[in-house]
């Protein structure tokens, strides 16, 4: 079990687009294991690689007892919308209603390079969209309307974790082309 520190709002890696995985090796499988262990320990409904300081397009999820991962995701979203509470492990103790597609079909790969397709709605769809946003440098607060975003930023500034020194970062064993800090 390898639980890694979760990067908090303000860490630059959370705002960078992650690069596609092109090497499905033991290091990648260890990254998926670390993501899963960290997500379950937190606990959270999902965790993306940039949240533990690795700029690769990989995320895990834990929704309704189903734990999984997806690499290099591509999403197809429904036109139906859901509006509901959303939080983020990189923004501790912050929850706001956020609009998302009600359903999603996500295509990508598993840790062995096999193609996978995930279909989900409601909470699973929300988690997949949220984690894919992380891979594009987008946080859920970016999707809030201006009034809610201002309230979220106020809560962030007043939180006890805001502005804390960032964790020491180790160099990723993956070729991150400067995206991993």
């Amino acid at each position: 079990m390898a639980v890694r520190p979760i990067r908090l709002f303000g860490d630059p890696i959370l705002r960078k687009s992650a690069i596609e995985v092109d090497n499905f090796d033991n290091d990648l499988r260890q990254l998926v294991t670390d993501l899963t262990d960290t997500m379950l320990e937190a606990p959270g409904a999902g965790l993306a690689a940039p949240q533990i300081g690795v700029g690769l397009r990989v995320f895990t999820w834990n929704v309704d007892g189903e734990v999984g991962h997806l690499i290099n995701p591509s999403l197809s979203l429904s036109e139906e919308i859901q509006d509901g509470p959303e939080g983020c492990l990189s923004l501790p103790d912050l929850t706001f209603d956020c609009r998302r597609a009600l359903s999603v079909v996500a295509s990508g790969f598993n840790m062995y390079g096999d193609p996978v397709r995930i279909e989900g709605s409601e909470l699973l769809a929300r988690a997949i969209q949220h984690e894919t946003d992380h891979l594009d440098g987008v946080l859920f607060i970016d999707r809030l309307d201006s009034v809610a975003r201002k309230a979220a930023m106020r809560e962030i500034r007043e939180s006890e974790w805001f502005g804390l020194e960032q964790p020491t970062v180790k160099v990723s064993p993956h070729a991150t082309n400067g995206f991993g800090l």
Side-chain angles (χ1 to χ4, degrees):
M1 182 169 171
V3 173
R4 310 241 313 246
I6 295 173
R7 302 302 179 88
L8 300 177
F9 176 82
D11 190 309
I13 196 165
L14 297 176
R15 291 304 194 170
K16 292 183 179 179
S17 291
I19 61 171
E20 293 219 349
V21 171
D22 58 8
N23 193 1
F24 293 82
D25 59 7
N26 285 334
D27 289 335
L28 178 66
R29 288 186 280 286
Q30 184 62 55
L31 173 62
V32 170
T33 299
D34 291 353
L35 278 168
T36 303
D37 291 347
T38 304
M39 172 189 64
L40 294 173
E41 177 74 18
L47 189 66
Q51 290 180 275
I52 62 169
V54 179
L56 293 173
R57 296 189 71 79
V58 180
F59 70 81
T60 57
W61 76 85
N62 178 22
V63 175
D64 298 328
E66 178 187 348
V67 176
H69 69 277
L70 193 60
I71 298 166
N72 298 340
S74 172
L75 306 185
S76 177
L77 305 175
S78 70
E79 290 186 21
E80 287 182 277
I81 300 295
Q82 61 174 315
D83 200 6
E86 196 162 322
C88 180
L89 294 173
S90 292
L91 297 147
D93 304 320
L94 186 77
T95 304
F96 279 86
D97 282 353
C98 184
R99 296 189 83 179
R100 296 280 186 183
L102 178 63
S103 302
V104 66
V105 176
S107 301
F109 301 91
N110 67 16
M111 69 176 105
Y112 301 101
D114 300 322
V116 295
R117 178 180 158 121
I118 309 298
E119 296 182 37
S121 60
E122 299 177 5
L123 185 55
L124 181 57
R126 180 176 297 281
I128 289 171
Q129 292 169 77
H130 179 107
E131 300 311 327
T132 301
D133 272 355
H134 273 299
L135 304 181
D136 295 326
V138 175
L139 300 174
F140 88 95
I141 59 173
D142 300 332
R143 296 197 175 272
L144 302 177
D145 64 43
S146 62
V147 172
R149 191 175 318 109
K150 284 181 182 179
M153 290 304 298
R154 184 172 34 259
E155 281 191 39
I156 290 168
R157 284 190 301 274
E158 292 171 357
S159 70
E160 52 186 57
W161 56 263
F162 181 66
L164 293 177
E165 185 176 334
Q166 297 300 317
T168 302
V169 180
K170 296 181 180 177
V171 176
S172 170
H174 303 281
T176 60
N177 298 328
F179 286 98
L181 297 177

